[in-house]
Amino acid sequence: MSGGLLVQAMMRETGVRLTPKEADELQNAHHRHFEGWTNATRPLPGAAELLRTLTDCGVPWTIATSARRDDAAPMFARLAVPPDVPTVTREEVSRAKPDPDLFLAGAARLGIPARDCVVVGDSVWDLLAARRPEALGVGLLSGGHGQDELERAQALRVYADPFDLLGHIDELGVRDAHGA
């Protein structure tokens, strides 16, 4: 969920109304708070291995995130994302998830129609954004949403984390150079 939608949801849930300036200040405060956690944030189990496996199998991939580039850059480094892999961050698109803009931009940078992409996400917002351009959605339980929620958002498969997905990668049609 984008920061703007988060603020709207918060206002709806609490009944508190914010001016546009206050909403911007809240989003900036969230950004500053997140910066304080940057050094403590670690990739999910199997995430870096999954990306290496995709590369080794010749599967083009990208990361499309609702995070700002300066927030995402440390995680890209921890995941050892090669510099030639296209990435898309919030400030590069008009709208963040649940709108499909991030995934459409990622697909465009890969030169692949979005409907031929598999989107891996850990929220219903990711899956809704994937569904709109007819990409295949795969859910991870690492985002706080349950399996039933992700399946209702039309996840084809749901895995515990990237390590679990990696153990079932053949279910998504990914094969190594030997077809295994």
Side-chain angles (χ1 to χ4, degrees):
M1 177 185 296
S2 71
L5 289 178
L6 180 64
V7 169
Q8 288 178 6
M10 185 214 58
M11 289 191 301
R12 185 173 42 253
E13 295 294 320
T14 63
V16 173
R17 295 290 167 240
L18 300 175
T19 67
K21 182 180 179 195
E22 291 170 327
D24 285 344
E25 290 171 359
L26 182 59
Q27 287 185 63
N28 288 331
H30 176 264
H31 171 72
R32 287 190 306 275
H33 179 74
F34 184 82
E35 281 182 316
W37 288 92
T38 300
N39 291 331
T41 305
R42 300 286 174 255
L44 292 168
E49 295 84 356
L50 175 62
L51 299 178
R52 278 195 302 275
T53 297
L54 293 173
T55 299
D56 293 346
C57 291
V59 176
W61 58 272
T62 186
I63 297 176
T65 176
S66 293
R68 298 176 184 179
R69 183 152 305 271
D70 57 339
D71 291 334
M75 190 55 66
F76 293 165
R78 287 188 188 94
L79 289 168
V81 175
D84 61 330
V85 169
T87 57
V88 183
T89 57
R90 172 61 184 99
E91 61 270 47
E92 298 172 61
V93 296
S94 296
R95 295 180 181 217
K97 298 174 262 183
D99 289 288
D101 299 20
L102 287 161
F103 299 144
L104 290 169
R109 290 183 187 175
L110 292 173
I112 299 171
R115 70 180 174 282
D116 293 339
C117 293
V118 175
V119 171
V120 178
D122 63 4
S123 75
V124 296
W125 309 114
D126 294 327
L127 296 169
L128 179 59
R131 192 170 82 204
R132 288 179 169 160
E134 301 178 358
L136 182 69
V138 172
L140 299 179
L141 295 173
S142 54
H145 292 274
Q147 181 165 344
D148 60 330
E149 293 174 289
L150 296 173
E151 288 174 344
R152 277 196 316 270
Q154 299 188 354
L156 174 69
R157 296 274 189 272
V158 177
Y159 301 99
D161 55 30
F163 183 76
D164 185 30
L165 188 159
L166 184 57
H168 297 89
I169 196 77
D170 60 311
E171 294 176 356
L172 301 177
V174 176
R175 307 274 193 275
D176 65 21
H178 305 290

